[in-house]
């Protein structure tokens, strides 16, 4: 019997993203607390930044025409620290001025104090000639009034928070956080802390996936409910059904391999629908995608996913379901390749692609694979990439050691010196 062809990542990802309707609920959060959240509205500036022409130096504001020759002597008639506003500067006058202070009317240049000599309290000699506009930051140089400084769908960074604050916004409208329920499957799994390493029964392993999946979900702005390991079939159906009422996504790890004895797959099939995909990627071939009916009938493709009235959720559409493979590196990589863009899309991020950049391989990869591979690598001091020697999907050390992966197309070998496509973990997990 021939096996169905593997699904490529480029086929699978659009299918997933097509069902990721942006969560319709918007909340207003303090700009202080909005790091990592996704804007639900454009941010348009109601003022110029900086608001007025101001000095970029400590020194003297002058009329440049007065300083056409070096060593001009001017009368110091005022002092303008930042936060104050001076009076009109007349011909032959200079104003002592400090960084950030507004340029007084009449002045058209600033001379830095190093180029001046104070003759006494009321006179200054300007040693150099002065060109019009020097050391002046112009009003609106950063932001013009009416400019769109941040866009709906932007994921807020620390710099973006500073920008929102610089145009006067203490609150920002963001899409609500996705709610994700996390299950681990596998009778071999033990929680760290429950049994000490020296008492581990034969065949048992610690549940490591639960820790990195939860951390990655949190970094993506999700509210995570960690539901542990479901056991009996009926208990699994109940657990999934109740999780589906309150979550946008149920995420599981383990139990998606073909022929696996596991309660989750039949339970999802009973409560909704499930597709078992075999992806042409390595690590991470098996992946399950489906949905579970929530309390209200509808389809995942439906436009409205429920509404919040007075903070109470009055309706809930079907809950998405994704099952990751159990092998730790497979789980890790498939999360980043598929779940991450999906969760960003739920929050309204438009471009969910991760940046790839070119690097030079300082290693050989002589055996091509039918599947597209994601090889764990690390930068070396020469600016090239070294390969972690063990690329097995169970070896989590590779992900700890590495600073990213090489995205290597199917059927492709790599020779030392070849240009490869690199994805940085720092960006991928930001
Ligand atoms: P599975 O996908 O359930 O067939 O699991 C594949 C491999 O990953 C097996 O060796 C499991 O023991 C291991 N595994 C499954 N779940 C986890 C987990 N949460 N943490 C660590 N290893 C796991
Ligand atoms: Mg298992």
């Amino acid at each position: 019997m021939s096996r169905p062809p593997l699904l490529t990542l480029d086929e699978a990802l659009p299918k997933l993203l097509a069902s990721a309707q942006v969560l319709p609920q918007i909340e207003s959060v303090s700009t202080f607390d909005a790091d990592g959240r996704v804007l639900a509205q454009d941010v348009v500036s109601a003022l110029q930044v900086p608001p007025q022409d101001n000095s970029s130096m400590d020194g003297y504001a002058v009329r440049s025409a007065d300083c056409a020759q070096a060593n001009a002597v001017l009368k110091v008639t005022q002092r303008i620290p930042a936060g104050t506003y001076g009076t009109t500067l007349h011909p032959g006058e200079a104003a002592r001025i400090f960084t950030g202070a507004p340029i007084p009317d009449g002045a058209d240049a600033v001379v830095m104090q190093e180029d001046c000599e104070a003759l006494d309290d009321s006179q200054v000699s300007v040693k150099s000639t002065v060109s019009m506009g020097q050391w002046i930051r112009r009003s609106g140089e950063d932001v013009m009034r009416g400019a769109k400084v941040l866009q709906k769908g932007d994921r807020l960074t620390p710099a973006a928070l500073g920008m929102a604050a610089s145009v006067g916004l203490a609150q920002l409208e963001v899409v609500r956080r996705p709610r994700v329920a996390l299950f681990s499957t596998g009778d071999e799994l033990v929680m760290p802390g429950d049994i000490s390493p020296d008492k581990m029964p034969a065949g048992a392993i610690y549940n490591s996936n639960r820790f990195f999946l939860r951390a990655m979900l949190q970094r993506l702005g999700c509210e995570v409910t960690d539901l542990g390991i479901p056991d009996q079939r009926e208990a699994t159906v109940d657990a999934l059904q109740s999780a589906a009422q309150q979550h946008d996504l149920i995420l599981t790890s383990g139990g998606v391999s073909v022929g696996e004895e596991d309660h989750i797959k039949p339970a999802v099939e009973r409560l909704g629908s499930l597709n078992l995909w075999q992806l042409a990627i390595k690590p991470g071939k098996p992946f399950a995608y489906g949905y579970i009916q929530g309390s209200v009938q509808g389809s995942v493709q439906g436009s409205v996913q429920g509404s919040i009235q007075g903070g109470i959720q009055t309706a809930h559409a079907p809950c998405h379901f994704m099952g990751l493979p159990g092998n730790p590196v497979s789980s890790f990589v498939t999360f980043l390749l598929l779940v991450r863009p999906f969760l960003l899309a739920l929050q309204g991020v438009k471009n969910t692609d991760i940046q790839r950049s070119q690097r030079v391989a300082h290693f050989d990869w002589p055996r091509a694979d039918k599947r597209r591979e994601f090889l764990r690598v690390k930068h070396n001091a020469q600016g090239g990439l070294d390969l972690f020697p063990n690329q097995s999907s169970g070896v989590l050390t590779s992900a700890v050691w590495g600073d990213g992966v090489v995205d290597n197309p199917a059927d492709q070998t790599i020779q030392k010196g070849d240009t490869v496509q690199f994805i940085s973990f720092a960006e991928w997990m930001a």
Side-chain angles (χ1 to χ4, degrees):
M1 200 176 82
S2 67
R3 290 207 213 143
L6 299 181
L7 198 62
T8 67
L9 188 60
D10 292 335
E11 291 163 341
L13 192 53
K15 282 185 205 276
L16 277 189
L17 293 178
S19 66
Q21 300 292 328
V22 182
L23 300 172
Q25 298 92 2
I26 293 170
E27 55 194 35
S28 180
V29 298
S30 161
T31 304
F32 278 124
D33 301 324
D35 186 28
R37 302 297 297 272
V38 180
L39 276 178
Q41 285 177 357
D42 294 339
V43 172
V44 174
S45 180
L47 82 173
Q48 308 264 106
V49 183
Q52 304 99 23
D53 290 358
N54 68 90
S55 177
S56 63
M57 284 290 166
D58 290 339
Y60 293 84
V62 300
R63 302 169 70 106
S64 57
D66 287 346
C67 306
Q69 261 102 52
N71 300 312
V73 175
L74 302 173
K75 189 172 171 207
V76 181
T77 53
Q78 52 182 319
R79 192 171 182 278
I80 314 173
T84 64
Y85 208 94
T87 55
T88 301
L89 198 76
H90 301 104
E93 293 180 354
R96 184 77 172 108
I97 197 163
F98 299 89
T99 305
I103 305 296
D105 291 343
D108 64 7
V110 170
V111 189
M112 63 166 99
Q113 60 193 22
E114 292 82 349
D115 291 339
C116 298
E117 189 183 343
L119 301 176
D120 55 49
D121 275 359
S122 64
Q123 289 203 99
V124 64
S125 164
V126 177
K127 291 183 275 179
S128 56
T129 60
V130 172
S131 45
M132 194 191 282
Q134 71 177 37
W135 304 122
I136 292 178
R137 299 173 184 148
R138 293 296 175 191
S139 168
E141 181 179 296
D142 187 357
V143 177
M144 295 297 285
R145 181 181 294 111
K148 194 194 283 184
V149 292
L150 299 169
Q151 289 207 41
K152 177 178 175 178
D154 282 355
R155 201 166 165 222
L156 293 162
T157 61
L161 301 188
M163 174 55 72
S166 81
V167 300
L169 294 184
Q171 297 282 126
L172 291 171
E173 303 298 304
V174 298
V175 177
R176 80 155 162 82
R177 295 178 182 280
R179 302 184 190 114
V180 182
L182 183 60
F183 286 99
S184 311
T185 80
D187 293 337
E188 72 280 28
L189 300 179
V190 167
M191 276 301 283
D194 285 355
I195 302 178
S196 64
D198 56 313
K199 306 239 164 51
M200 283 287 271
I205 58 165
Y206 286 119
N207 184 346
S208 53
N209 298 2
R210 188 169 175 178
F211 288 80
F212 63 69
L213 290 174
R214 178 154 141 167
M216 293 198 290
L217 287 167
Q218 283 167 343
R219 285 194 180 193
L220 286 168
C222 299
E223 274 171 23
V224 185
T225 315
D226 192 331
L227 293 166
I229 305 170
D231 36 29
Q232 304 302 313
R233 168 77 69 97
E234 275 314 307
T236 304
V237 171
D238 289 348
L240 288 175
Q241 195 157 37
S242 91
Q245 310 293 315
Q246 286 133 32
H247 297 89
D248 305 300
L249 170 66
I250 294 174
L251 184 66
T252 67
S253 95
V256 286
S257 319
V258 182
E260 178 97 14
E261 270 310 309
D262 158 73
H263 306 310
I264 295 227
K265 278 188 300 197
V268 177
E269 272 158 357
R270 195 164 123 190
L271 295 168
S273 150
L274 187 69
N275 300 291
L276 291 172
W277 287 349
Q278 298 295 309
L279 300 173
I281 58 170
K282 191 178 178 180
K285 187 160 78 170
F287 181 84
Y289 173 66
Y291 64 90
I292 292 176
Q293 294 297 350
S295 55
V296 161
Q297 295 290 316
S299 83
V300 175
Q301 262 77 23
S303 59
V304 178
Q305 287 239 338
S307 61
I308 285 187
Q309 281 170 5
I312 297 159
Q313 186 129 9
T314 53
H316 203 287
C319 173
H320 300 275
F321 175 89
M322 289 185 200
L324 302 175
N327 272 311
V329 189
S330 304
S331 218
F332 191 80
V333 168
T334 47
F335 180 93
L336 290 170
L337 289 171
L338 296 158
V339 185
R340 174 188 183 276
F342 182 85
L343 288 169
L344 292 176
L346 277 190
Q347 294 175 80
V349 174
K350 288 187 189 78
N351 181 6
T352 60
D353 294 346
I354 187 69
Q355 180 83 24
R356 284 152 174 89
S357 49
Q358 299 195 337
R359 292 289 189 282
V360 177
H362 283 188
F363 62 86
D364 289 315
W365 186 247
R367 254 181 311 233
D369 199 285
K370 285 201 301 292
R371 291 185 268 159
R372 178 172 170 181
E373 291 171 293
F374 295 89
L375 307 168
R376 276 77 67 212
V377 294
K378 179 158 88 172
H379 282 89
N380 58 32
Q382 292 73 48
L385 295 177
D386 291 335
L387 180 75
F388 191 75
N390 187 342
Q391 292 288 327
S392 157
S393 61
V395 176
L396 201 51
T397 311
S398 67
V400 177
W401 176 90
D403 57 15
V405 296
V406 163
D407 180 355
N408 190 41
D411 302 315
Q412 184 140 325
T413 58
I414 298 171
Q415 273 185 320
K416 205 170 286 175
D418 283 354
T419 299
V420 292
Q421 300 297 317
F422 174 76
I423 305 175
S424 152
F425 280 153
E427 277 177 53
W428 225 4
M429 271 171 275

